[in-house]
């Protein structure tokens, strides 16, 4: 009973605290944007590593303030917290992962793409291995026939957790360099697209 009550309380309190913390880092940092090509308002598949969730989605919303958007979030308890944080950014969570509810969440993702949503994906989430690109992310990009927008950041000063994703937390009042690029996977098979996208995503990220 106590465990259930504490979890329900955490689902309410932690997302609000997480959102406030994210906005604190955003507003107290100096931001440099390095955009390769042009960021349009057309539909995109937006990708970042799981360890970059703290700032990457905020950078996306900086350029796409009103674009309808959905994101794939795991069904685990920590995924529930992330899902509720995403709602603060007007991003609709689609619950599922490669290990739990994969088929259902892919169907929901295809529906979101069909109605015109941007789709935000962490190709190495929710459990890793770190900096790998899942088949699902490639399949969604091929299905949408839309460009893939890669979003990454490198803070000048930061903490890095010892979690599997080596989660990156910028230190307050630091400078953060954001790197964004539209890339196309058109005409590539699954393996070729995976290698190409991973190389692009690793170009400007904390290792």
């Amino acid at each position: 009973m106590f465990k259930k009550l504490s979890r329900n309380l955490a689902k309410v309190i932690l997302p609000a605290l997480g959102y406030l913390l994210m906005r604190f880092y955003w507003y107290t940092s100096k931001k440099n944007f390095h955009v390769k090509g042009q960021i349009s308002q057309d539909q995109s598949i937006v990708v970042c590593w799981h360890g970059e969730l703290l700032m990457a989605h905020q950078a996306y919303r900086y350029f796409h303030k009103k674009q309808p958007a959905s994101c794939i979030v795991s069904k685990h308890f920590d995924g529930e917290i992330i899902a509720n944080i995403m709602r603060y950014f007007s991003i609709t969570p689609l619950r599922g992962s490669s290990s739990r509810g994969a088929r259902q969440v892919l169907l929901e993702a295809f529906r979101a793409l069909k109605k015109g949503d941007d789709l935000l994906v962490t190709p190495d989430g929710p459990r890793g291995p770190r900096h790998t690109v899942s088949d699902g992310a490639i399949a969604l990009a091929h299905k949408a026939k839309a460009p893939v927008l890669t979003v990454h950041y490198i803070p000048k000063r930061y903490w890095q957790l010892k979690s599997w994703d080596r989660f990156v937390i910028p230190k307050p009042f630091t400078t953060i360099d954001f790197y964004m690029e539209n890339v196309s996977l058109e005409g590539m098979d699954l393996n070729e697209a995976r290698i190409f996208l991973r190389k692009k995503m690793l170009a400007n990220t904390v290792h």
Side-chain angles (χ1 to χ4, degrees), residues 49-52 124 128-133 164-165 198 202 205-207:
W49 298 125
H50 197 275
E52 299 174 341
D124 60 345
R130 181 177 183 245
H131 291 174
T132 57
V133 175
W164 71 264
D165 59 356
R198 183 173 185 269
L202 287 173
T205 192
V206 175
H207 293 279

Side-chain angles (χ1 to χ4, degrees), residues 18-19 21-31 33 48-63 86 89 120 151-155 158 167-171 174-180:
Y19 172 75
L21 184 65
M22 290 171 75
R23 299 313 277 165
F24 169 77
Y25 284 121
W26 181 265
Y27 286 118
T28 61
S29 65
K30 178 183 177 183
K31 294 168 283 292
F33 293 97
C48 72
W49 298 125
H50 197 275
E52 299 174 341
L53 282 171
L54 189 66
M55 304 299 290
H57 287 23
Q58 297 192 84
Y60 160 77
R61 266 294 177 230
Y62 181 79
F63 286 95
M86 290 299 100
F89 292 100
L120 284 66
V151 183
H152 304 286
Y153 64 92
I154 301 178
Y158 60 89
F167 198 82
V168 177
I169 304 174
K171 292 187 176 181
T174 193
T175 298
I176 305 176
D177 287 284
F178 288 90
Y179 299 87
M180 308 176 75

Side-chain angles (χ1 to χ4, degrees), residues 173-191:
F173 309 104
T174 193
T175 298
I176 305 176
D177 287 284
F178 288 90
Y179 299 87
M180 308 176 75
E181 181 180 2
N182 265 325
V183 299
S184 174
L185 305 181
E186 188 176 355
M188 300 182 190
D189 63 29
L190 187 66
N191 190 55

Side-chain angles (χ1 to χ4, degrees), residues 19-135:
Y19 172 75
L20 290 173
L21 184 65
M22 290 171 75
R23 299 313 277 165
F24 169 77
Y25 284 121
W26 181 265
Y27 286 118
T28 61
S29 65
K30 178 183 177 183
K31 294 168 283 292
N32 297 322
F33 293 97
H34 309 273
V35 179
K36 194 170 182 179
Q38 185 177 3
I39 298 179
S40 73
Q41 297 301 305
D42 295 336
Q43 186 181 42
S44 298
I45 305 291
V46 184
V47 295
C48 72
W49 298 125
H50 197 275
E52 299 174 341
L53 282 171
L54 189 66
M55 304 299 290
H57 287 23
Q58 297 192 84
Y60 160 77
R61 266 294 177 230
Y62 181 79
F63 286 95
H64 291 79
K65 290 180 172 60
K66 297 182 179 180
Q67 174 71 18
S70 297
C71 66
I72 295 176
V73 183
S74 78
K75 286 189 173 182
H76 299 94
F77 176 71
D78 55 352
E80 182 75 22
I81 305 302
I82 294 171
N84 288 331
I85 292 174
M86 290 299 100
R87 290 187 176 98
Y88 282 105
F89 292 100
S90 298
I91 298 172
T92 303
L94 310 174
R95 305 301 305 280
S97 66
S98 57
S99 58
R100 295 178 64 184
R103 179 179 172 81
Q104 181 61 35
V105 77
L106 281 175
L107 288 173
E108 289 184 24
F110 289 142
R111 291 191 196 105
L113 290 169
K114 189 174 182 179
K115 72 176 185 178
D117 283 15
D118 281 350
L119 188 64
L120 284 66
V121 183
T122 52
D124 60 345
R127 300 293 184 185
R130 181 177 183 245
H131 291 174
T132 57
V133 175
S134 67
D135 290 349

